[in-house]
Amino acid sequence: MTTGLLLEGGAMRGLYTAGVLDVFMQNHISIDTIIGVSAGALFGMNYKSKQMGRVLRYNKRFASCKNYMGFHSLITTGNIMNKDFCFNKIVNDLDPVDFETYKNGKEDFYAVVTNMTTGKAEYIKIDDLKKEDQMEYLRASGSMPFLSNPVIVHGKSYLDGGISDSIPIEKLMDMGCDKNIVVLTRPEDYRKKKSNTLLPKIYYRKYPYLTEAINNRYRIYNQQLDMVKDLEAAGKIFVLRPSRFVDIKRIERDLEKIQEMYDLGQEDALKKMDALDVYLSNR
């Protein structure tokens, strides 16, 4: 039996996912294929490197650091997440990724990115974070529109995977896993609202297909939520989502909010461990 895992994005809401994944590691939940979107990719890769607590640790440590992420970085570098600090200093020196464990992990890990020219999702297998292009694909997955410069890899321009496929449930199921777990970062009653359609047309006027993807995102996202709900009701997938709303910002400085979002992920996962075991054991 093979098990798939889908990790939704959501900026700092991804701390919920980090809490869930640390419980998975503590309980030796075996995963074969992982698809991470945006923060789901950036935080989820720590599951493959087997570094429990790392996501919470560095987010609390650098929450107030202007060189981590925020408007200082946006103004000085063009990226809300500081490229050098986040994807060089932290991962190599300040709170290093266990590159060898990651590379040798049995899990197939995919990061979702959005091709700016086509407006379509691409699913990039990330198997060696020591390779520069692999780290760049991972960075691209979390590069939020309007707040990030395009990430160029092998001559193609990319942005946040959540633009084109926020909840890639169809892609995960097409990969052929027998059991699939979905970790969302919004409560069950959440639905995305239509946003301003003019701004993308102006800001990304050279990328009409990207503009279309941004403007249609709310509709596709809500359709995906409906699909997840139907599949969950039919017992075909297992879903973890926040059991209550946590008022956390995209760029959160409040250490208590950061801890609260992570703790909720742990609490919800622990409560569902028995049900998850049943789901995974039923063929």
Side-chain angles (χ1 to χ4, degrees):
M1 184 181 75
T2 56
T3 303
L5 176 63
L6 186 163
L7 307 173
E8 186 190 5
M12 294 299 275
R13 295 197 315 275
L15 283 155
Y16 178 85
T17 301
V20 169
L21 294 183
D22 282 356
V23 170
F24 280 14
M25 283 189 270
Q26 292 163 359
N27 286 271
H28 308 291
I29 301 298
S30 179
I31 304 294
D32 299 286
T33 301
I34 304 171
I35 299 181
V37 184
S38 194
L42 296 176
F43 294 169
M45 49 78 57
N46 292 276
Y47 180 90
K48 187 171 167 66
S49 64
K50 303 304 177 210
Q51 292 178 277
M52 281 190 289
R54 180 175 179 269
V55 173
L56 178 66
R57 183 172 62 242
Y58 73 73
N59 273 289
K60 291 183 74 171
R61 179 181 175 186
F62 301 117
S64 60
C65 177
K66 68 179 183 179
N67 291 321
Y68 178 35
M69 57 182 177
F71 288 104
H72 178 269
S73 176
L74 182 63
I75 292 168
T76 57
T77 72
N79 294 301
I80 196 78
M81 294 180 66
N82 186 295
K83 175 183 175 181
D84 181 60
F85 192 82
C86 294
F87 297 94
N88 178 19
K89 291 181 180 178
I90 291 180
V91 301
N92 289 305
D93 301 313
L94 299 175
D95 200 329
V97 171
D98 188 336
F99 293 101
E100 284 305 306
T101 297
Y102 183 95
K103 183 178 180 180
N104 295 325
K106 72 175 184 64
E107 302 89 357
D108 290 330
F109 190 95
Y110 295 85
V112 184
V113 296
T114 299
N115 184 310
M116 293 180 65
T117 301
T118 66
K120 301 293 185 182
E122 295 182 14
Y123 310 89
I124 309 297
K125 189 175 182 180
I126 309 293
D127 51 21
D128 186 355
L129 290 173
K130 278 290 189 180
K131 294 179 179 178
E132 184 178 354
D133 63 338
Q134 300 258 293
M135 187 62 80
E136 283 294 271
Y137 279 125
L138 194 64
R139 184 169 75 88
S141 186
S143 292
M144 293 180 280
F146 310 112
L147 300 175
S148 308
N149 292 320
V151 177
I152 300 173
V153 188
H154 301 308
K156 296 180 180 180
S157 299
Y158 295 100
L159 280 176
D160 197 312
I163 297 169
S164 52
D165 200 353
S166 296
I167 309 174
I169 183 62
E170 290 182 285
K171 180 65 176 179
L172 182 64
M173 297 187 77
D174 285 346
M175 288 180 166
C177 292
D178 304 297
K179 298 288 183 176
N180 291 297
I181 305 166
V182 176
V183 181
L184 303 178
T185 59
R186 299 270 197 186
E188 188 171 5
D189 60 354
Y190 176 79
R191 288 296 182 275
K192 191 174 289 293
K193 297 178 181 178
K194 185 177 181 179
S195 57
N196 184 301
T197 59
L198 182 60
L199 178 60
K201 290 179 181 179
I202 296 172
Y203 200 87
Y204 293 115
R205 59 189 176 278
K206 295 181 180 179
Y207 300 96
Y209 293 111
L210 177 70
T211 297
E212 184 180 359
I214 293 172
N215 286 338
N216 285 327
R217 185 184 179 191
Y218 80 99
R219 179 175 56 82
I220 302 299
Y221 182 83
N222 292 338
Q223 289 175 354
Q224 290 177 325
L225 285 178
D226 291 340
M227 180 181 292
V228 165
K229 191 171 183 178
D230 290 343
L231 290 168
E232 180 185 22
K236 294 182 178 180
I237 63 174
F238 190 92
V239 182
L240 280 155
R241 57 171 70 81
S243 56
R244 59 180 173 81
F245 172 73
V246 175
D247 186 16
I248 189 168
K249 300 181 180 70
R250 277 188 176 188
I251 307 300
E252 186 58 74
R253 308 293 187 191
D254 188 329
L255 298 185
E256 291 185 1
K257 291 290 185 183
I258 290 172
Q259 186 72 52
E260 182 183 5
M261 194 81 236
Y262 173 85
D263 287 347
L264 182 61
Q266 288 221 310
E267 292 165 12
D268 288 350
L270 286 169
K271 288 176 182 177
K272 289 201 168 187
M273 272 298 104
D274 289 343
L276 179 58
D277 287 340
V278 171
Y279 170 76
L280 294 176
S281 62
N282 288 338
R283 294 185 179 274

